[in-house]
Amino acid sequence: ELKVEQNPLFLSMQEGKNYTIYCNYSTTSDRLYWYRQDPGKSLESLFVLLSNGAVKQEGRLMASLDTKARLSTLHITAAVHDLSATYFCAVAKGASGTYKYIFGTGTRLKVLA
Amino acid sequence: EPEVTQTPSHQVTQMGQEVILRCVPISNHLYFYWYRQILGQKVEFLVSFYNNEISEKSEIFDDQFSVERPDGSNFTLKIRSTKLEDSAMYFCASSEGQGYDQPQHFGDGTRLSIL
C-alpha cells in the first residue's frame, strides 16, 4: 500500500525566513504533485513533478523530486504572510489514464508577521 | 480559466437519507474523480470514472456510494443511506487526456453534514 508522509505537520515561521517541507512516499512513482489549500477552500495546483531531478519554481516556492530517495521537497524562500495555508503533496498511482492521487498528511504553514 | 464547479456548497442531511452531490467537470476533460476530506484530515480518494464506468474505487466507496454521468456535463456522487461518519468535504476533480503531465483540477467542494 502506497503511503505518503509529510513533515512537519505544523510549521510556524517568521516572515523573511526560509524553510523546507518534506514529502516521503513508500513505493516507486515518478509523478508527484503539490497543492495548496486555504481554510475551507479547494485544492490549488502548485507544481507537477514528473521525473527524477525535476525542479520547479514559482515565486517564493520551489519544489523538487528525487525518485530514488522517494522524496520531494517544497522549499519556501523569504516567507510572507500570504503563504500561510496547508500544503499537500500527492503521488499518482494507477494506469491507463486514471491516476488516483494518494495525498500526504498535509503541512499547515503559518507565517507570522 | 475553466474550472470544476460543485453544488451545493453545503448540504445538511438527516442520517439515513439519500444525498446527491453534483459536479460539472471542465468541459474537455475525460477523467473524473471524487475525493473526500474529513475535517482536519488528509484528502482521500473515493473513485475514478472514465468512459462511463468506474475505473477504480477505494474501500471507502462501498455499496452505499454510486457515481453517474447522467448527461454530457454533470458527474454525480450519490450516498444512498448516509451515516454520521459520511460527514466530510467532498471534492470532485477532473483531468484531461491520458497523460499525467496535467494535474487534476479540483472543485471548491461540498461540505456534507450528517445529523
Side-chain angles (χ1 to χ4, degrees):
Chain A
E1 179 188 347
L2 173 58
K3 292 187 178 177
V4 183
E5 295 183 345
Q6 289 179 236
N7 71 82
L9 298 181
F10 299 97
L11 178 55
S12 180
M13 56 191 298
Q14 295 289 330
E15 276 193 330
K17 298 293 186 182
N18 304 334
Y19 209 84
T20 300
I21 298 171
Y22 297 89
C23 173
N24 290 90
Y25 52 97
S26 60
T27 63
T28 303
S29 176
D30 56 3
R31 309 188 290 269
L32 191 135
Y33 307 82
W34 282 96
Y35 283 85
R36 169 184 171 142
Q37 186 182 39
D38 291 295
K41 300 293 185 180
S42 186
L43 296 147
E44 175 191 354
S45 175
L46 294 175
F47 298 109
V48 177
L49 303 169
L50 298 177
S51 60
N52 186 40
V55 177
K56 297 277 184 75
Q57 182 162 6
E58 181 72 34
R60 301 174 187 274
L61 300 177
M62 183 174 71
S64 66
L65 178 62
D66 181 343
T67 59
K68 294 178 181 177
R70 298 177 187 168
L71 171 69
S72 180
T73 61
L74 180 65
H75 186 73
I76 303 156
T77 302
V80 293
H81 179 71
D82 286 352
L83 290 179
S84 297
T86 298
Y87 293 86
F88 289 96
C89 63
V91 176
K93 182 175 172 63
S96 303
T98 54
Y99 302 98
K100 69 180 181 184
Y101 285 1
I102 306 299
F103 280 85
T105 45
T107 296
R108 189 177 301 175
L109 171 65
K110 186 171 184 180
V111 181
L112 305 173
Chain B
E1 183 178 329
E3 58 183 27
V4 177
T5 57
Q6 291 185 242
T7 55
S9 57
H10 190 192
Q11 174 80 46
V12 182
T13 302
Q14 291 289 331
M15 185 172 60
Q17 296 295 306
E18 175 183 287
V19 66
I20 298 176
L21 309 182
R22 303 180 191 280
C23 169
V24 179
I26 295 173
S27 61
N28 64 332
H29 286 189
L30 301 176
Y31 301 86
F32 313 115
Y33 311 83
W34 283 101
Y35 293 81
R36 79 171 186 189
Q37 184 181 32
I38 295 171
L39 185 63
Q41 298 186 23
K42 67 179 179 180
V43 180
E44 300 174 288
F45 169 79
L46 291 178
V47 66
S48 58
F49 190 88
Y50 169 68
N51 200 25
N52 282 320
E53 61 183 24
I54 290 174
S55 301
E56 185 174 357
K57 58 185 181 181
S58 73
E59 57 188 28
I60 301 169
F61 195 90
D62 61 23
D63 292 345
Q64 296 299 317
F65 290 83
S66 63
V67 289
E68 192 178 33
R69 188 156 163 83
D71 52 42
S73 59
N74 290 284
F75 179 51
T76 62
L77 174 69
K78 181 192 291 186
I79 308 175
R80 189 153 51 95
S81 178
T82 50
K83 302 186 280 284
L84 292 175
E85 54 265 37
D86 294 327
S87 295
M89 182 74 93
Y90 287 80
F91 292 105
C92 173
S94 68
S95 62
E96 64 175 317
Q98 288 200 5
Y100 42 74
D101 56 332
Q102 296 294 324
Q104 292 177 15
H105 295 260
F106 286 77
D108 285 345
T110 293
R111 182 170 299 282
L112 178 62
S113 300
I114 307 300
L115 304 179

